[in-house]
Amino acid sequence: RDTPFCAAAFKVNPMFGPSSEVLLRMGAISGDVIVKNGEAWRLFSGMWLHGGVLHCLMNVVALLGIGCQLERAHGTLRVGAIYMLSGIFGSIASAMFAPHVLSVGASGAIFGLIGAIVGDILMNWDLREKPCRALLWVCFVSAVQLLVGTMPLIDNFAHFFGFVMGFVSSITFLDRLNKGARCWHTCSRRCFRTLAAAIVFFAFVVGLALLYGIGGVDANELCQACQEISCKEFPWGCTDNGGHCWWTCDQMQNAPAASCGGEAVWPRGANTTQGYVDLTCPPRAGGNASKVRVEPVDLTHWGTDFLGELCKDHCASR
């Protein structure tokens, strides 16, 4: 009751929210932790967390502008199903394309609603007074969310794949509000719904297979440059050497390295680059931080990046 509101430093989390260690303990998405520790529940829990106050407010505005409109037209259950499918599929995409990146947020589910409203506009184009205006509003919200997605703790994989899942799911769940009475109208709607449902099922099967490496296929082999879109320094193209960046993505590139510490130790009196490192690994959900000693280690290039690699290799599996 007497604990004041506390947020991480702006350079660590520019959205006025908690540190990555807190988010990890609360259920943030991390592909390494999900696969190696068997914590598949993170695919669900991560979509209910937010990176901070700014992130939460942006999502609330988007939901008020999009979710209410869909809900009035098609009902809570239909829209809720699209929201859940898009959010979970976005989490799968985040975990398989950026397994070392910590991410949170309902942005994948919200982008699913954006995709659904695109499907709704296309299915009911003749029933809208200004369909072009509606599409422009959708494009504006998408652009804002994509910009927010370049910040740390949020990734654009969930945005893109959530949007695609929302669009395909809308064909399955949403109705043509002015249904044609002819038989071929009914048959075509049912065919499209069946096809869309099959695509949704197939997408989840393929996504989970890539996440868990079934068949030895890595998602990043399919898109080697995709890591670069998950987080961007701002202003874009800046370097942190001169302290000109508002924020950097170094701490987000190697989760759980963002909340991992370590101390390098060289043998006393030994004229060598060999030594050992005592790591402090971040706690798992509901647990405590753990100590890991890594030896022998070539400490020639000891530094933050080297520590991050050690944390990624030796902490994620614990």
Side-chain angles (χ1 to χ4, degrees), residues 288-311:
N288 298 316
S290 58
K291 301 287 186 179
V292 178
R293 173 165 293 186
V294 183
E295 58 180 344
V297 178
D298 185 352
L299 299 173
T300 305
H301 303 290
W302 173 254
T304 303
D305 293 339
F306 188 80
L307 173 61
E309 290 297 324
L310 289 178
C311 289

Side-chain angles (χ1 to χ4, degrees), residues 227-300:
Q227 288 282 345
E228 298 179 3
I229 68 172
S230 64
C231 180
K232 288 291 184 182
E233 291 80 5
F234 188 83
W236 297 294
C238 71
T239 58
D240 198 41
N241 294 333
H244 301 301
C245 294
W246 289 20
W247 63 76
T248 64
C249 302
D250 294 339
Q251 290 185 312
M252 297 300 109
Q253 296 301 318
N254 294 300
S259 53
C260 171
E263 180 182 2
V265 179
W266 286 263
R268 183 175 298 178
N271 185 17
T272 178
T273 60
Q274 298 292 320
Y276 62 88
V277 177
D278 288 327
L279 298 177
T280 303
C281 294
R284 294 176 58 182
N288 298 316
S290 58
K291 301 287 186 179
V292 178
R293 173 165 293 186
V294 183
E295 58 180 344
V297 178
D298 185 352
L299 299 173
T300 305

